[in-house]
Amino acid sequence: MSSTPNPNPNPNPNPNDASDAQDVSWTLRCVECDVAYPGLELRYRCDCGGTLDVIHDVARQREVTTALFDARLGAREGPDRSGVWRYRELVLPVEPETIVSRQEGNTRLYHSPAVASWAGLDAILLKHEGENPTGSFKDRGMTAGVTVARRLGMRRVACASTGNTSASMASYAAVAGMEALVFIPEGKIAYGKLAQSLAYGAHTVQIPGDFDAAMTLVERVCAERGIYLLNSINPFRIEGQKAIGFELLQDLAWQVPDWIVLPGGNLGNSSALYKGLAELLALGLIPRLPRIAVIQAEGASPLYEAWTRSAELVPAPNAETVATAIRIGNPVSWRKSLRGIVATRGVVERVSDQEIVDAKAQVDRAGIGAEPASCATVAGIRKLVGAGVIRPDERVCGILTGNLLKDPELVVGYHRGELPGLVSTYANPPVRARLGQDGQLVWE
Ligand code: F0G
């Protein structure tokens, strides 16, 4: 793939791809101006620039029951085995044989008295999305995005990423036999994620700017070259990602918790969580909505600023945080995310890097473990409990978005006390020993 951008972007470079594929039950609708488009039109934004929602045929969905989803839980193969496609009527009603799946989802929900007590809660539930096939929550959206890419006849897919989206897309593209192109901020993604992108065979382009610059670049390259864009601006990514809430509710026997707390970067995940829960409510499958709390890193908190000022989001240039996954200053899905926070009487909180690494040490030490951005969740819960926003006796579910092994450098740096500007409050440094001549261990 050459990298010279064409100065004349064509927003619909390959209109024939979707020509025989318009027979679907959903449409696309702009979140800003309500204009509707055909369900499989090759577009990611409305003509007005707004992002798009997938709007389902609710009449068809009314036949679905929680008992149907429960009956599918025991499946050994096929779409029912996936924690996304088990809910396919609500995700995307596609032909099962077109689905590109790695049996994603089916992640565990942990009780952790140790983390609960540190956060100031009587109890806590942690849904570990780092237990997905590529080690992050991104696999839920990616299975839907790549399935639609195949349905559209696309051969090449692309994304900008802070590392997890690219790892996930690279894997699913490989499974589907597609070419993958990823743009990542050089030196700013965790090593485990870079390794995955290379290993799964993606063309991996490191750019000198940050995620926001990579995002601008990829939107342009995709439009010019007829490559399918698989960032969460792609509305089908959001549809797959919704299953995070479906599965969590199913884990809880469809009992609605008081709070669901998750980290916010590009804000696709929180948008998806709300959309899915609102759809469950509208179908009468749950009686009420939980409150959603989105936690941002202090150095990358434009949603927090917008929410506290009740204003439009102003991009935060030069976003900076140790939680590289959420080092994003200009989140694409902020409006969709804010819609859910407002509708659920939710909140946005921000936490410092020190709070993130200390929360991470607690989550890790509890035997669960997660990557830094995930632990913003727990740092945020602790802060919200401290501020009296979350009561200690409320039922709180935190989403851990990525696996501990994604960012081993930060873990080792923390425990060795080598993270610049941060205190290793709960350090567990490695020690040195050797065998002495008398056969005894000699500590150094
Ligand atoms: N946690 C992790 C581990 C992430 O990788 C991300 C986003 C988030 C939280 C934030 O989720 O963007 O939906 O608000 N990672 C993206 C990526 C940006 O490229 O992998 P969000």
Side-chain angles (χ1 to χ4, degrees), residues 136-138 160-166 193 211 231-232 263-270 325-326 328 371 373-374 401-402:
S136 86
F137 71 101
K138 303 286 182 182
S161 183
T162 56
N164 279 325
T165 299
S166 46
K193 304 174 188 181
F211 170 83
N231 277 98
S232 56
N266 214 20
L267 301 173
N269 201 19
S270 47
I326 51 174
I328 295 174
E371 70 161 287
S374 307
T401 43

Side-chain angles (χ1 to χ4, degrees), residues 5 25 55 86 122 147 152 194 228 235 244 267 284 292 302 306 324 439:
S25 60
I55 305 297
R86 179 180 310 136
D122 297 347
T147 294
L152 289 168
L194 175 62
Y228 196 55
I244 199 169
L267 301 173
I292 293 176
T324 51

